[in-house]
């Protein structure tokens, strides 16, 4: 690696850190003489996680941070005076292979600013993936960012070589996007999403009728929304997320608390630090929609457009609906047991299976893994439930839970 390439690597990995589809590790493994190689000071190495829980190290980098757009919320916007760099296709391929051979990484996470036009940028991203797969026979993980506005042909070309692709929505509403990024619109984002979805579904049909068909984006697609850069409420964000999850290929929606990188732009809110608690609550709400059978309109509504920052969304819903409790764990259906604070997906399934053989008590629930300090106000199993949320009043329960758990 030459000094010039190393300098580009530092600039472009720093530029890629605002994409939260995988978390930066900041790990540094120095050679003390007993091992082989270094992690180049941890530059660009980040961690992602597979469905089975395995931690995967990725080279997270941008192809270029030169951009034709001037989005108010982006550090790489055209009018910013920052160090710029561009890696050639062969340089990205070489870096990936050399890092992989040294066991620094198991895959590549590649994004890019839009240079010249979307098709030109998308063509270069696709060439990186194609060279890795066909020239170097690289079988590691590849996550490519699809460029908004790119043509169907180029998105399909990239999809033949990538494991996962993503197109960032960035701002939840068209109105706010037009205000902060006048050169963009949601149509240019949702069209590539549709191309990916169609490609995956067509590939699935082809694989059912033909024996040898290369897979198309086998890990599905994801997207990201910036939280706090616009006036959009949590209700706006969750309703869009709920709509996106109706796509059979959408695996994850990521939420990124807005980092104030362009505080001179008066269109942006004056935030001293990212809204990390709000970001955390959105991830919890997202989890409720994906695994707990909640609908977006149940988590937030017209009278509560933003999530409660003091309590998690599940507890917030329970405190707003005391009429639904207490839940009898020995008789209630699985969906209702899931709604009890302190009971997770695994615990709810264990409860439903265990009650077939005996009447459950609080001791059984503790052994199953139920957090009784939270759940005791919302369930009954014979000997508990005398001080439930209806009798003790939601405000009293909220105060007691804050005493028990502090900031949760």
């Amino acid at each position: 690696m030459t000094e010039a390439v190393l300098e580009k690597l530092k600039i472009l990995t720093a530029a890629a850190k605002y994409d939260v589809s995988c978390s930066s590790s900041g790990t540094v493994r120095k050679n003390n003489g007993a091992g082989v190689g270094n992690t180049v000071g941890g530059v660009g190495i980040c961690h992602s996680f597979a469905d089975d829980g395995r931690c995967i190290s990725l080279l997270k980098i941008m192809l270029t941070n030169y951009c034709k757009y001037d989005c108010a919320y982006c550090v790489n916007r055209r009018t910013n005076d920052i160090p710029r760099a561009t890696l050639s296709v062969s340089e990205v391929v070489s870096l990936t292979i050399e890092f992989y051979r040294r066991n620094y990484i198991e895959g590549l996470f590649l994004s890019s600013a839009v240079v010249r036009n979307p098709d030109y940028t998308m063509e270069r991203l696709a060439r990186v993936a194609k060279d890795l797969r066909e020239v170097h026979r690289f079988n590691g993980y590849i996550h490519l960012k699809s460029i908004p506005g790119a043509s169907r042909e180029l998105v399909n070309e990239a999809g033949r070589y990538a494991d996962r692709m993503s197109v960032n929505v960035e701002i939840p509403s068209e109105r706010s996007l037009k205000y902060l990024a006048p050169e963009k619109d949601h149509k240019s984002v949702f069209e590539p999403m549709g191309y990916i979805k169609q490609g995956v579904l067509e590939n699935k049909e082809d694989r059912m009728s033909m024996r040898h068909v290369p897979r198309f984006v086998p890990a599905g697609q994801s997207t990201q929304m910036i939280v706090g850069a616009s006036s959009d409420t949590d209700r706006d964000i969750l309703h869009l997320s709920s709509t996106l999850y109706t796509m059979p290929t959408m695996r994850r929606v990521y939420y990124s608390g807005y980092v104030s990188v362009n505080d001179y732009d008066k269109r942006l809110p004056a935030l001293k630090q990212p809204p990390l608690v709000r970001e955390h609550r959105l991830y919890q709400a997202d989890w409720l929609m994906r695994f707990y059978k909640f609908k977006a309109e149940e988590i937030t509504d017209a009278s509560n457009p933003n999530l409660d920052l003091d309590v998690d969304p599940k507890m917030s819903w329970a405190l707003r609906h005391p009429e639904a409790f207490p839940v009898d764990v020995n008789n209630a259906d699985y969906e209702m047991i899931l709604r009890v604070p302190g009971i997770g997906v695994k615990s709810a399934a264990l409860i439903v299976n265990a009650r077939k053989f005996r009447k459950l008590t609080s001791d059984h629930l503790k052994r199953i893994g139920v957090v009784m300090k939270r759940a005791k106000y919302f369930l009954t199993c014979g000997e508990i439930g005398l001080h439930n949320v209806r009798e003790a009043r939601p405000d009293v329960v909220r105060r007691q839970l804050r005493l028990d758990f502090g900031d949760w």
Side-chain angles (χ1 to χ4, degrees):
M1 184 187 301
T2 65
E3 287 294 329
V5 172
L6 178 58
E7 186 60 30
K8 290 180 183 179
L9 183 65
K10 290 179 178 178
I11 293 171
L12 294 173
T13 52
K17 69 182 180 182
Y18 297 102
D19 199 314
V20 299
S21 296
C22 48
S23 303
S24 177
S25 66
T27 301
V28 176
R29 290 184 295 156
K30 294 182 179 179
N31 191 335
N32 59 7
V36 177
N38 294 293
T39 58
V40 197
V43 173
I45 307 300
C46 67
H47 291 159
S48 185
F49 294 89
D51 287 342
D52 59 4
R54 290 181 300 111
C55 182
I56 302 172
S57 299
L58 304 175
L59 172 61
K60 183 178 180 183
I61 194 170
M62 292 184 75
L63 195 62
T64 180
N65 66 342
Y66 285 97
C67 193
K68 63 174 290 188
Y69 296 136
D70 197 31
C71 306
Y73 47 81
C74 183
V75 69
N76 299 313
R77 62 188 294 183
R78 181 178 66 240
T79 54
N80 266 3
D81 184 17
I82 59 171
R84 305 278 183 175
T86 299
L87 286 167
S88 67
V89 170
S90 60
E91 285 173 332
V92 176
V93 171
S94 178
L95 283 170
T96 304
I97 294 301
E98 292 305 317
F99 275 40
Y100 187 79
R101 284 174 177 166
R102 286 162 175 77
N103 203 29
Y104 298 158
I105 61 170
E106 296 174 75
L108 171 68
F109 181 98
L110 182 63
S111 62
S112 180
V114 181
V115 58
R116 295 193 187 179
N117 57 65
D119 277 353
Y120 175 81
T121 310
M122 192 71 236
E123 189 270 337
R124 297 181 73 217
L125 291 171
R127 279 176 53 202
V128 170
K130 183 177 181 180
D131 285 1
L132 283 170
R133 297 295 195 209
E134 295 192 346
V135 177
H136 296 275
R137 297 290 185 256
F138 179 71
N139 289 316
Y141 178 82
I142 297 179
H143 183 149
L144 288 184
K145 284 291 178 183
S146 180
I147 304 300
S151 67
R152 180 190 293 268
E153 292 75 20
L154 288 171
V155 173
N156 289 343
E157 173 79 3
R160 286 193 283 270
Y161 305 107
D163 294 289
R164 172 169 286 188
M165 294 184 69
S166 53
V167 195
N168 285 349
V169 173
E170 295 177 350
I171 303 297
S173 70
E174 180 82 19
R175 171 184 53 81
S176 297
L177 181 63
K178 278 299 198 182
Y179 178 63
L180 297 175
E183 299 157 297
K184 291 185 177 180
D185 56 47
H186 273 172
K187 180 183 177 183
S188 64
V189 174
F190 295 136
E191 279 189 344
M193 282 186 183
Y195 301 154
I196 296 169
K197 180 189 75 171
Q198 191 64 31
V200 171
L201 296 178
E202 289 177 357
N203 181 256
K204 186 176 181 180
E205 290 183 5
D206 291 342
R207 291 175 64 85
M208 292 175 66
S209 58
M210 291 180 279
R211 181 173 296 180
H212 301 292
V213 178
R215 301 191 71 180
F216 183 93
V217 195
Q221 59 179 313
S222 60
T223 189
Q224 172 181 319
M225 283 186 268
I226 301 172
V227 178
S230 63
S231 59
D232 298 296
T233 65
D234 295 335
R235 187 186 185 201
D236 299 325
I237 295 170
L238 291 176
H239 273 268
L240 178 55
S241 296
S242 179
T243 301
L244 291 171
Y245 280 132
T246 61
M247 297 173 58
T249 56
M250 183 59 66
R251 296 291 180 265
R252 284 295 304 274
V253 177
Y254 291 89
Y255 309 96
S256 175
Y258 170 64
V259 179
S260 184
V261 292
N262 301 317
D263 53 9
Y264 60 85
D265 196 315
K266 301 305 179 185
R267 293 173 292 175
L268 297 167
L271 297 178
K272 293 184 179 179
Q273 60 183 21
L276 298 180
V277 176
R278 184 183 176 192
E279 175 189 306
H280 178 57
R281 295 295 182 221
L282 283 167
Y283 275 113
Q284 290 177 320
D286 185 274
W287 204 261
L288 292 182
M289 291 191 298
R290 293 167 59 211
F291 300 109
Y292 286 77
K293 305 182 185 298
F294 276 77
K295 296 180 180 178
E297 54 268 25
E298 293 181 289
I299 301 171
T300 55
D301 52 35
S303 58
N304 299 278
N306 288 306
L307 296 169
D308 192 332
L309 299 184
D310 292 330
V311 298
D312 66 77
K314 188 178 179 183
M315 178 66 74
S316 178
W317 180 87
L319 292 174
R320 295 200 311 270
H321 296 85
E323 72 281 357
F325 302 99
V327 171
D328 187 346
V329 296
N330 286 296
N331 296 302
D333 58 24
Y334 172 75
E335 287 74 14
M336 199 59 221
I337 292 173
L338 268 181
R339 297 196 170 219
V340 175
I343 296 182
V345 175
K346 184 178 179 180
S347 297
L350 289 172
I351 287 171
V352 171
N353 288 328
R355 72 188 185 186
K356 296 176 183 177
F357 306 99
R358 66 174 66 192
K359 184 176 181 180
L360 300 180
T361 66
S362 57
D363 288 336
H364 295 136
L365 296 179
K366 288 177 184 177
R367 288 200 290 269
I368 284 173
V370 175
V371 183
M372 293 303 295
K373 275 191 174 182
R374 294 187 184 184
K376 65 183 179 181
Y377 300 102
F378 304 96
L379 60 76
T380 180
C381 57
E383 81 278 15
I384 64 172
L386 298 178
H387 300 288
N388 63 67
V389 67
R390 273 198 287 179
E391 295 180 359
R393 299 201 323 270
D395 57 322
V396 175
V397 173
R398 177 189 283 262
R399 284 199 298 271
Q400 186 58 49
L401 287 167
R402 285 192 64 82
L403 288 174
D404 291 339
F405 292 98
D407 292 331
W408 48 277

